[in-house]
Structures are given as C-alpha cells and as structure tokens.
Amino acid sequence: MSSFEEHVERYRHELRVHCYRMLGSYDEAEDLVQETFLRAWRGLDDFEGRSSVRAWLYRIATNACIDVRRPRRVLPYQLEPASFPSTALPAREDVPWLQPFPDVLLDRAEEPDAVAIRRETIELAFLIAIQHLPARQRAVLIFRDVLGWPARETADAVDLSVAAVNSALQRARPVLREHLPSHRSEWTAPDVSADERKLLRSYMAAWDNADPDALAALMHEDIRITMPPYPFWFEGREDAVGSLIPNLTPEYRGHWRFLPTTINRQPTLAAYLLPPRMTSYQLFALDIFRIEDRRIAEITAFETTDHKLYGLPATV
C-alpha cells in the first residue's frame, strides 16, 4: 500500500459516517468517500500541512457533499389502510429518502473522544431532522454539535468566517428542534435498553399469535409506519395496525420470522419471509423501531436482501 493510501485509508470509516450524516444515504456516502480520496490525491501538492490530514479530508468530504445536487429528501404521503392493495404494494416513485446504516460499520468508525457513534446522532429521526437544513448549515451543525469541533476549525472546513459559522449554528438549532420528536430525550440512550428488547419480544409474540390487539397494545396512539422508498405512511394506531393485519395471514405473502438486531443504533427486527412453495425464510426487510415511554412511536421498514452488509444470516 502506498504512503498516500496508508494516510487516508485509516479515515475511511469515519468519513463514511460523516457523509452519511450529511446526505442521509449509505450509497451516496460510499461514493462520496471515494470522491474525497480522489480529490485528495489530485490536490496532494496543495496540501501544505497547516491542518491535520484528518481535518483536510473532512474539508474535502464536506465540500463534496455540499456539491451534490439532488432533491431534498422528502416525507411520503399518508395512505389509508382501506386503499392499501390486498395483493401488491404501490409502485415505487423516484423519491429521495433515507437509507439505513449498518451497525457493524458504525463500530469501526471511531470519532474523537468516542469509542462508538452516539445513538442520538445517527438515529433516523435525527437524520430526517437535519435534512431540513441547507447543506452548509447542516455541515456546521454536524461539526459543532456532533463532532465538537471549535468554531475556527469548522470555519476552515466549510469555507466560512467564524462569525458566519456562529450565525449558521444559531439558525440551524431551532430548525433541528422543530423537526425532532417532541419527547426525544425520553428515548435517547447509548445502547438498546432491556425495556426495548423486551418490547421487541412482545412484538414478535404478537406476530406469532397473529394477534392485532396485542400489536395495538404495544403502540402509541400516534404511531407512524413508513416503508421507504414507497411514498406513503400510515399514522395512528388504528391505521398502523390495519396496514399490518394482511401480513398476519400466511395466505397474503407467506410466513414471517424476525431476528432482533440493531441498525442506526436503534432496536431493529430483521424480517424473514417464507413465501408459499418455498423451503427457507429469506431476508426481506429491516424494521427499525423508535420507542418512547415503552411504546412504539415509529416503525421504518426498509426492504433489503443484502444480509452481508448488515451482518445478518441469509436465511433463518
């Protein structure tokens, strides 16, 4: 490995997390890290050593993310269970939306003064909230409030004055608070708690028993279920349970099994489906839970078959 590769490769994992926070997309984050290394190689002669290699790479990565031109990630529209098709999901639309980030990769990305990525800065709710910020404000908030960089280093990274950085942070924080869940402090924790694991076991038992009332008892009244990239959501306990009921019947799609895990540092169930006439349960989706006050506040379900990326078995 060349000297350049040795110097930059050690920062790959944390740069990927940084780009993911900036863009909310795992795929784009992967691409932007490669773009960062390419820009660094091309600009190597201009690096004068006035900052650390790490700060230099963060500056390149941040500007690469700011240069990305794509629609702001949006929320889907609300769909009544009565309009939910009985045999097929609605056709996908080209909706830019968040992607999950594997915890097996988060564990490799050591940030300053933290062995693990803090849960509250990688959860889907936080990532959704910061997508409401303009890109440069988003970068300032990440550097100052997530990474804990001083204002001067942040200014260098985002090509602003210190005064402009302070002003951007003052504007960004109220927007962030406005779009975070109202009781966020009640569910933020460094790790998935025993109560959350217990709730997941109860959720799996309700599925095994095909018991919609038991499912409803685990949910907040204003629960929301989304299934990116399908452009809709179900909101409220009655509509949420109504959207799940067809899947409780094997004739609808087949039998389901769940494997507890964590994604984005959140409690997650990997959903495995055994369709009719098949012989094994195949990975179908990741159901990521936001839990408040021992009840389910939100489920975000991402379809995936990429078991290796998330450190999961292909079948159960």
Side-chain angles (χ1 to χ4, degrees), residues 77 79-92 227 230 232 234 242-247 252-253:
Y77 58 79
L79 185 71
E80 298 295 331
S83 63
F84 193 71
S86 59
T87 58
L89 288 169
R92 297 186 184 190
M227 290 175 272
Y230 297 104
F232 58 79
F234 301 100
S243 73
L244 299 178
I245 284 177
N247 285 287
Y252 178 62
R253 284 189 180 179

Side-chain angles (χ1 to χ4, degrees), residues 285-304:
L286 300 169
D287 296 340
I288 303 178
F289 289 72
R290 179 166 64 84
I291 296 171
E292 294 179 5
D293 193 25
R294 301 184 181 183
R295 290 290 184 273
I296 302 168
E298 188 167 1
I299 302 174
T300 307
F302 295 95
E303 288 189 11
T304 185

Side-chain angles (χ1 to χ4, degrees), residues 224-288:
R224 172 182 287 181
I225 296 179
T226 59
M227 290 175 272
Y230 297 104
F232 58 79
W233 76 66
F234 301 100
E235 188 160 300
R237 184 186 295 147
E238 181 178 352
D239 288 356
V241 173
S243 73
L244 299 178
I245 284 177
N247 285 287
L248 299 178
T249 304
E251 290 74 19
Y252 178 62
R253 284 189 180 179
H255 290 270
W256 293 91
R257 286 184 180 172
F258 298 94
L259 181 66
T261 184
T262 60
I263 301 292
N264 287 76
R265 297 285 191 240
Q266 294 180 246
T268 301
L269 291 178
Y272 288 78
L273 177 63
L274 177 66
R277 297 181 297 280
M278 297 294 287
T279 59
S280 62
Y281 289 81
Q282 304 288 329
L283 180 62
F284 184 87
L286 300 169
D287 296 340
I288 303 178

Side-chain angles (χ1 to χ4, degrees), residues 137-202:
Q137 279 189 30
R138 193 183 317 140
V140 167
L141 185 134
I142 290 170
F143 277 119
R144 297 288 282 120
D145 287 358
V146 175
L147 297 175
W149 284 31
R152 166 50 59 193
E153 292 184 21
T154 300
D156 291 341
V158 295
D159 296 324
L160 292 173
S161 67
V162 171
V165 162
N166 292 334
S167 176
L169 187 61
Q170 290 176 356
R171 295 194 303 272
R173 283 171 173 166
V175 175
L176 180 67
R177 288 193 297 268
E178 178 185 352
H179 290 95
L180 283 173
S182 57
H183 302 295
R184 186 170 191 268
S185 61
E186 297 178 10
W187 51 266
T188 298
D191 298 298
V192 175
S193 69
D195 284 340
E196 289 171 331
R197 288 191 291 269
K198 181 180 178 180
L199 187 147
L200 290 190
R201 290 195 295 271
S202 297

